[in-house]
Amino acid sequence: MRITEEKLQSLLEECWAKDDGTTIREHTDKLLENLEKLKCYYKKDIEELIPKELTCELRYRFWEILELACEYHDYGKIHCMFQKKVENKNIKLIKGLPEVKHNLLSPAFVNVEDELTKKIVRLLVLHHHPVERVSTEDVERVLKEEFGFEKSPISFLLKKGEMDYLRDDIARKFGLPEEKLIKYYRLLKGLLLRIDHASSSKQAQDVEEKPPDDTLSFVDEFFKGANINLNEMQIFIKENRDKNLVVIAPTGSGKTEAGFIYLQRKGFFMLPYRVSANSIYTRAEKIFGNCAGLLHSSALNYVLERDERNEDIKNNKEDAVFLNYFLSRNFAKPIIVCTPDQLMHFVFRYKGFEKYYATALYSKLVIDELQSYDPITLAFIVKALEVLAQNGGKFLVMTATFPKFLKERFKGMGVEFKEFSLQQNPYHNVEIIQHTIDSGIKKIIKLSQKAKVLVVVNTVRKAIELKGEIPNAELLHSRFILKDRKEKEKEIKEFFDGRENGVWITTQLAEVSLDLDADYLFTELSTADSLIQRMGRCNRRGKKSTEKPNVFVFTKDCSGIGPVYYKDLHEKTLHNLENGAWDWEFKWELMEKVYSEDALRNTKYLDNFKKAYCYITNLWEGTDSFTISKSQAKELFRDIDAVQVIPKEFEKEVKELLQKWEEAKGNLSERVKLLSQILEYSFSLPVWSLNKLEKQSIHDKLSIYYVEGNYSKDTGFELISSADTEWKENII
């Protein structure tokens, strides 16, 4: 006899959804509660994404279908073998019954009269977890012997792929446009996954926090308090917040605040490097307060380490810090500052990508400094933006140097371009020197006696070498352990803000993570985009004289050409350099000459971009989700993904902390603080470079490694010669 509705509801009250004793009914009610929050906060935004070409009835039933999917998604957990798995001893086992995953059973319990609604709900419930290697015989046996289904109501559903069923048994049968139905279904599935994952969280179960009515009011208040008027660029963005935009403007022109203006109620502010995200998060907090969150692989450690937070932790108020972090990880915070690998990996269409895809669709995205990425990662991000634009998403790309070859692709997405110079007079007078940067050492020393000098080179190795040639020079690069690097970052900021004269040597790190204002810049030639970014750290506000050169570019035997910067781009930049004043128009023309489609033809850079773009486009032309995992998809963002390493000489100190970390099992707060102390001895390397080094895991549960080499507080980490390889710094 088929299980009665009364008995079913009783089992939902008795059976566990989680091993902590949370019942299926309690967990389901949490999903329904979160669904109501989602509707309350973002109903209008989400409904605008529902394809207009679908029938009015189906569009009207969107929220009903999502509610039914939330209700039925875990009914299969009443299966006695699942109850055994979560150690619920109150439920009796049926001997000899096979174990079947709960999502394979749940669709059978969907009890809805409307046939179309029932089919969509069943498909959502079945695929809210990956479906692999289904034994229909086992499913039918459990449904019959445990729940009394004489004939399986879902056997046909189990024998087809997700998209095949959607296309053949729903779209064709009910005469619905296939492409539009897929968009509708992906949105539903993504929201179901968001709601389910948030409701299952042990730390923070809200799918969304209440957003402000409009984040613009926070920005207006900030400008008013600082007695600052919006500039031309910021006004343009304020007036065009509902469009997809690419805004090109110089460094120091207020792009960060412009990005905050673009965000409406819910948004992601994405930056290429974690250290940049940390900096922008601090600014976002000052404007948006508790509405802002930070999300990247070491975000929790960063927030716990900040000086202003330490006092709260000492006073046992760290719960707020943890809650903020876990809400950010659930994407529940209205404003989230992050790196693209936290959200944009949906472009790889792995199983469950819809969660991130749907979240990106009803949020506003700000992408800062698009040109900073390797061409392969750039291709992935461009395709992700294209997918969002095609499906109703909204984004703003802000940059000082936009690669021209991308312009037609973005115009094809319906993006509006706008360029702003915002500079009345040239900030830089450039002297091109056809020698190595070593030839400028005497001049660097001389100028540093009366001014603030910044030296930027292309590799850590070259920076360390120059440090040995310039007396009293200070050095900063990414291979200092965290506790030393924080001290040095504070020192370099105080130096360039103060009255003292001298010289600092650094690497690409200066381009993206440090707000410096040097009197003179000495630099190796990199590529056009990188060079312009470096120049933004000299005479940053345009208040210093440019009658004589204040930027010296050395073009001979530059380090890192090949491993760090594409040789062909470096050469094209070299051929278009000129002595004299560089205004914004000249810099923009330089970018066009180097990054136009014609200029890039037959280059490795463009070839890598096109191959990656073609690869990811082919994924979206298929029907089913790709077979890679989410973790594999994140790793494909290879110039963002990084790994922490610790110089071997700190092994003793780290082992003592690891012992305490082991002893603190069950105490999340204590373990996170101890992990932060361990990370104080670490620095970051690109994950793909680690294979070149001799390494040893510090612990089998932590992706942190000891590496061989020499470490000094003055010069940082130097790799042993057999393993020393140049690479583009992954700024953390």
Side-chain angles (χ1 to χ4, degrees), residues 635-647:
E635 285 175 9
L636 285 170
F637 279 83
R638 64 187 188 126
D639 65 330
I640 302 172
D641 199 26
V643 66
Q644 296 301 114
V645 297
I646 295 174

Side-chain angles (χ1 to χ4, degrees), residues 390-443:
Q390 290 170 348
N391 292 280
K394 292 289 186 290
F395 61 81
L396 161 66
V397 172
M398 302 188 305
T399 183
T401 54
F402 186 81
K404 187 182 178 183
F405 79 98
L406 292 176
K407 193 165 186 178
E408 291 307 312
R409 292 180 190 273
F410 275 86
K411 282 189 173 180
M413 304 178 203
V415 174
E416 183 172 340
F417 277 76
K418 191 74 173 178
E419 299 170 27
F420 297 90
S421 69
L422 302 177
Q423 292 182 353
Q424 301 300 318
N425 300 302
Y427 285 15
H428 304 110
N429 189 329
V430 180
E431 182 177 335
I432 310 302
I433 303 170
Q434 296 182 10
H435 292 285
T436 67
I437 196 167
D438 303 79
S439 68
I441 288 176
K442 288 183 179 179
K443 191 165 189 174

Side-chain angles (χ1 to χ4, degrees), residues 275 278 301-302 304-307 310 476-477 480-494 504 514 676-677 679-682 711 732:
V275 70
N278 293 342
N301 290 305
Y302 168 74
L304 286 169
E305 287 164 7
R306 288 191 310 173
D307 291 340
N310 286 345
L476 174 62
H477 53 71
F480 283 96
I481 63 171
L482 186 58
K483 65 178 181 177
D484 291 342
R485 176 168 164 173
K486 287 189 293 186
E487 190 175 315
K488 282 186 169 290
E489 286 182 347
K490 181 180 178 182
E491 289 172 358
I492 194 172
K493 187 73 169 63
E494 289 175 348
W504 274 80
L514 300 173
S676 294
Q677 293 175 41
L679 290 173
E680 287 284 295
Y681 293 96
S682 76
Y711 185 80
I732 304 300

Side-chain angles (χ1 to χ4, degrees), residues 710-725:
N710 300 315
Y711 185 80
S712 161
K713 191 169 183 177
D714 291 328
T715 58
F717 188 77
E718 296 182 69
L719 299 173
I720 54 177
S721 57
S722 61
D724 195 359
T725 301

Side-chain angles (χ1 to χ4, degrees), residues 57-197:
E57 183 180 10
L58 192 58
R59 290 167 55 202
Y60 177 77
R61 287 186 172 178
F62 181 88
W63 294 107
E64 177 191 350
I65 290 172
L66 185 55
E67 182 177 351
L68 288 166
C70 289
E71 174 62 38
Y72 286 105
H73 82 293
D74 269 0
Y75 273 35
K77 287 183 176 179
I78 63 175
H79 178 30
C80 62
M81 297 303 291
F82 180 87
Q83 293 306 303
K84 177 185 176 183
K85 192 174 182 178
V86 294
E87 299 182 351
N88 183 357
K89 296 185 171 81
N90 298 320
I91 304 299
K92 293 181 180 179
L93 287 178
I94 299 175
K95 290 184 179 180
L97 208 60
E99 181 180 351
V100 174
K101 290 184 176 180
H102 74 275
N103 58 305
L104 305 181
L105 301 172
S106 295
F109 297 96
V110 175
N111 185 17
V112 183
E113 288 187 12
D114 180 74
E115 190 66 19
L116 175 59
T117 299
K118 181 163 65 176
K119 282 182 175 291
I120 296 174
V121 172
R122 280 180 167 173
L123 191 63
L124 286 166
V125 169
L126 175 65
H127 288 281
H128 84 280
H129 289 300
V131 177
E132 298 168 356
R133 299 174 188 169
V134 177
S135 170
T136 54
E137 292 80 8
D138 284 350
V139 174
E140 289 171 0
R141 184 181 167 193
V142 170
L143 288 174
K144 182 178 181 179
E145 294 183 19
E146 188 171 6
F147 304 117
F149 287 92
E150 288 300 324
K151 183 179 179 182
S152 171
I154 58 170
S155 57
F156 187 71
L157 179 65
L158 297 173
K159 293 175 182 177
K160 278 203 172 185
E162 186 175 19
M163 289 297 114
D164 287 338
Y165 187 89
L166 191 68
R167 180 179 62 246
D168 298 338
D169 296 80
I170 300 180
R172 290 177 184 173
K173 184 173 180 178
F174 292 91
L176 297 168
E178 182 182 316
E179 182 184 343
K180 303 303 178 183
L181 182 63
I182 289 173
K183 290 183 179 181
Y184 180 86
Y185 176 81
R186 281 178 176 159
L187 186 59
L188 281 166
K189 184 178 176 183
L191 297 178
L192 173 62
L193 294 176
R194 276 287 319 278
I195 293 168
D196 185 24
H197 294 171

Side-chain angles (χ1 to χ4, degrees), residues 453-472:
V453 178
L454 178 65
V455 179
V456 183
V457 292
N458 297 341
T459 65
V460 173
R461 191 192 310 165
K462 187 63 182 178
I464 294 172
E465 181 185 311
L466 272 184
K467 159 76 173 169
E469 300 293 328
I470 303 175
N472 301 320

Side-chain angles (χ1 to χ4, degrees), residues 459-604:
T459 65
V460 173
R461 191 192 310 165
K462 187 63 182 178
I464 294 172
E465 181 185 311
L466 272 184
K467 159 76 173 169
E469 300 293 328
I470 303 175
N472 301 320
E474 297 291 342
L475 177 66
L476 174 62
H477 53 71
S478 66
R479 288 193 219 155
F480 283 96
I481 63 171
L482 186 58
K483 65 178 181 177
D484 291 342
R485 176 168 164 173
K486 287 189 293 186
E487 190 175 315
K488 282 186 169 290
E489 286 182 347
K490 181 180 178 182
E491 289 172 358
I492 194 172
K493 187 73 169 63
E494 289 175 348
F495 170 78
F496 282 103
D497 285 345
R499 298 184 178 182
E500 183 184 356
N501 296 320
V503 56
W504 274 80
I505 302 168
T506 185
T507 55
Q508 304 102 325
L509 188 150
E511 297 171 24
V512 295
S513 64
L514 300 173
D515 184 9
L516 309 177
D517 188 9
D519 300 318
Y520 296 96
L521 170 68
F522 287 74
T523 180
E524 289 187 297
L525 179 62
S526 50
T527 53
D529 54 309
S530 170
L531 179 61
I532 292 168
Q533 289 287 93
R534 292 178 186 187
M535 292 169 69
R537 271 59 191 169
C538 175
N539 194 20
R540 190 165 174 81
R541 291 160 187 84
K543 296 180 179 180
K544 300 169 184 177
S545 172
T546 56
E547 290 184 10
K548 295 180 180 180
N550 60 352
V551 174
F552 302 91
V553 181
F554 296 83
T555 64
K556 189 76 171 174
D557 295 333
C558 300
S559 65
I561 305 308
V564 180
Y565 295 103
Y566 284 85
K567 186 177 180 181
D568 36 27
L569 296 188
H570 185 265
E571 290 175 349
K572 289 180 187 299
T573 303
L574 175 61
H575 293 154
N576 289 286
L577 299 179
E578 291 183 10
N579 287 303
W582 285 22
D583 57 17
W584 179 243
E585 284 68 27
F586 178 86
K587 294 173 184 176
W588 179 241
E589 287 173 7
L590 175 63
M591 279 293 296
E592 292 196 322
K593 288 174 182 176
V594 175
Y595 283 97
S596 69
E597 194 92 31
D598 286 341
L600 290 173
R601 189 171 287 116
N602 299 321
T603 64
K604 186 177 179 182

